[in-house]
Amino acid sequence: MDIILKENVEKLGFKNEIVSVKNGYGRNYLIPNGLGILATENAVKILEENLRQQDKKEATEIGLKILKDGGNAIDAAVATAAVLTLVEPHSTSLGGDAFIMVYLAEEKKLVGLNASGRAPYAMTLDALNGKLEKHDMNRIGGIYSVTVPGAVDGWFEVLEKYGTMTMAEVLEPAIHYAEHGFPVSPIIADAWRSLENNQEPSTRETWLLDGKRAPRAGEVFRNPDLAETYRLLGKEGRDAFYKGSIAKKIVAYSDAHDGFFTMKDFEDHTSTWVEPIYADYKNYRLYELPPNGQGIAALEMIKILDNVDLGSMGHNSAEYLHHVIEAKKLAYADIDKWNSDPEFNDLPIKEIISTEYGRQQFERINPTRAMERPESGINGNGDTVLLEVMDKDHNAVSFIYSLYSGFGSGLVAPGTGFTLQNRGALFSREPGHVNVVEPHKRPFHTIIPAMAFKDGEFFMTFGAMGGAVQPQQHAQIFLNVVEFGMNMQQAVEIPRINHGGGLSVTVEPGINEEVLTQLEAWGHELRRRTTRGGVGGAQGIMFNILTGVMIGGSTPHKDGMAVAY
């Protein structure tokens, strides 16, 4: 059903007041107030019970089935992540990392988990530079970009602490799809083609049909090695990955490629429970996870922009977009200098997200002139899938899980069925930099989950995908909701912008030409897209505590959708 028409409401059994909602492209939809289901052309759902929204149809349906079978939001999140490893392999993998935020409704408690991996113990800067020189590599790549995969430990941590099902139970759907196959969707099929240039035999054997070509849209793909890996995890637990046969396969593969890994790197791996950090904006509070993730930049942007009346400027006006772009430049200058593993450095986290520093940074913005490359305001030295889940008890999960680049490192340890990430590519090789590579250290991370509260109560779980774009997209989506009154679908679907580097800004189609001309007059160099994209996909769920209604949204940038029951 695309639209619930007024004349059909009584037939559907809805007796509540009908309200009109206008989406970002001028279409009006009639929605039963406080009840029912609405699916716009890009899948917004309004309901009273459970809502799941994710990046791929099969994965979304599995999450919904887990909820219907009595599982909670945590169970559904892990089950969905497992299926996404199979159906969206260019974005995520058991060989990747995860960051997870969980809201526990009964306790009114928000918790965060950093499930990112660390560099091998043997990877000093000198040792790394020696290997790169030996193999004629001018940057961190190949096996040297692989850090210990942290996602699997994160799955076990969050499921054992807050879930209601066993790992074996939540992995059953993923095992089924891995064995029997799934039809590849169009967007993912296009991304999959990039692997056809990969020359690694085990990678081609795992992810290409007959080791020769990527599956086309609509073709069925199977991964029996991944099914076997999932069975091991269900039977033997996390130790199968970090102390048993899976770790041994990865270490052997590393040895064959002159890598650094030893079993100790895997045996010593742990996830870290962290306290989410936040920034207040009017009567809202935006939560992100602390470094080594880059969520701190979204919080700094919000604190900078809290010093000007954005609402009076108008959404996507030249003045509004100019201030968002300039705030992004200032915040990213800080994370470029300061974001790293907090266990290795004393980071100025509180200062960066403070009200006073936000005011100081705002004063650096010229309202009619773009900055090119501002420096950090603090002195001193120093691809991805996203899923959001909310269950009938109003527990919520923001779960982001990634390899970094498309297909990560492009390396697959034979017999495992999954690709290894390349998060180590984000380490610095600059001596003395806070993010310089060091043994057993976590690198700068791009993936960030987010949640927001209103008047002290849970209000929204959301996130964005697309590497470095994420903090600036978090800020735009958050402001679309809290400053301009959009629902979740509108907030993620309406045209957005993405500042790259220097003066370059990507703009999606749909922003007024007069606005773009004015931005150029102020010094911004615009990359006008003729099709949607360049800003990253996004998804989220809003919650009205007074009515119990949840509103989900998913952008058309991905093969995503919102589902509910």
Side-chain angles (χ1 to χ4, degrees), residues 110-132:
L110 186 63
V111 297
L113 183 67
N114 180 337
S116 65
R118 300 169 177 86
Y121 282 112
M123 190 183 279
T124 64
L125 180 58
D126 287 344
L128 174 62
N129 286 336
K131 294 278 192 181
L132 296 179

Side-chain angles (χ1 to χ4, degrees), residues 337-341 345 347 381-382 432-436 438 441:
K337 181 175 182 178
W338 292 107
N339 192 34
S340 70
D341 188 339
N345 304 278
L347 306 177
N381 295 314
H433 192 282
V434 295
N435 188 44
V436 69
E438 296 182 65
K441 183 179 184 178

Side-chain angles (χ1 to χ4, degrees), residues 407-443:
F407 284 101
S409 65
L411 304 177
V412 175
T416 62
F418 61 86
T419 310
L420 297 168
Q421 65 184 359
N422 64 329
R423 283 290 169 184
L426 287 172
F427 275 124
S428 171
R429 292 168 62 199
E430 178 186 339
H433 192 282
V434 295
N435 188 44
V436 69
V437 62
E438 296 182 65
H440 204 58
K441 183 179 184 178
R442 284 169 162 150

Side-chain angles (χ1 to χ4, degrees), residues 148-167:
V148 174
V152 171
D153 185 68
W155 292 8
F156 277 96
E157 278 283 330
V158 74
L159 192 65
E160 290 172 1
K161 193 161 189 176
Y162 298 117
T164 66
M165 301 173 70
T166 67
M167 184 62 74

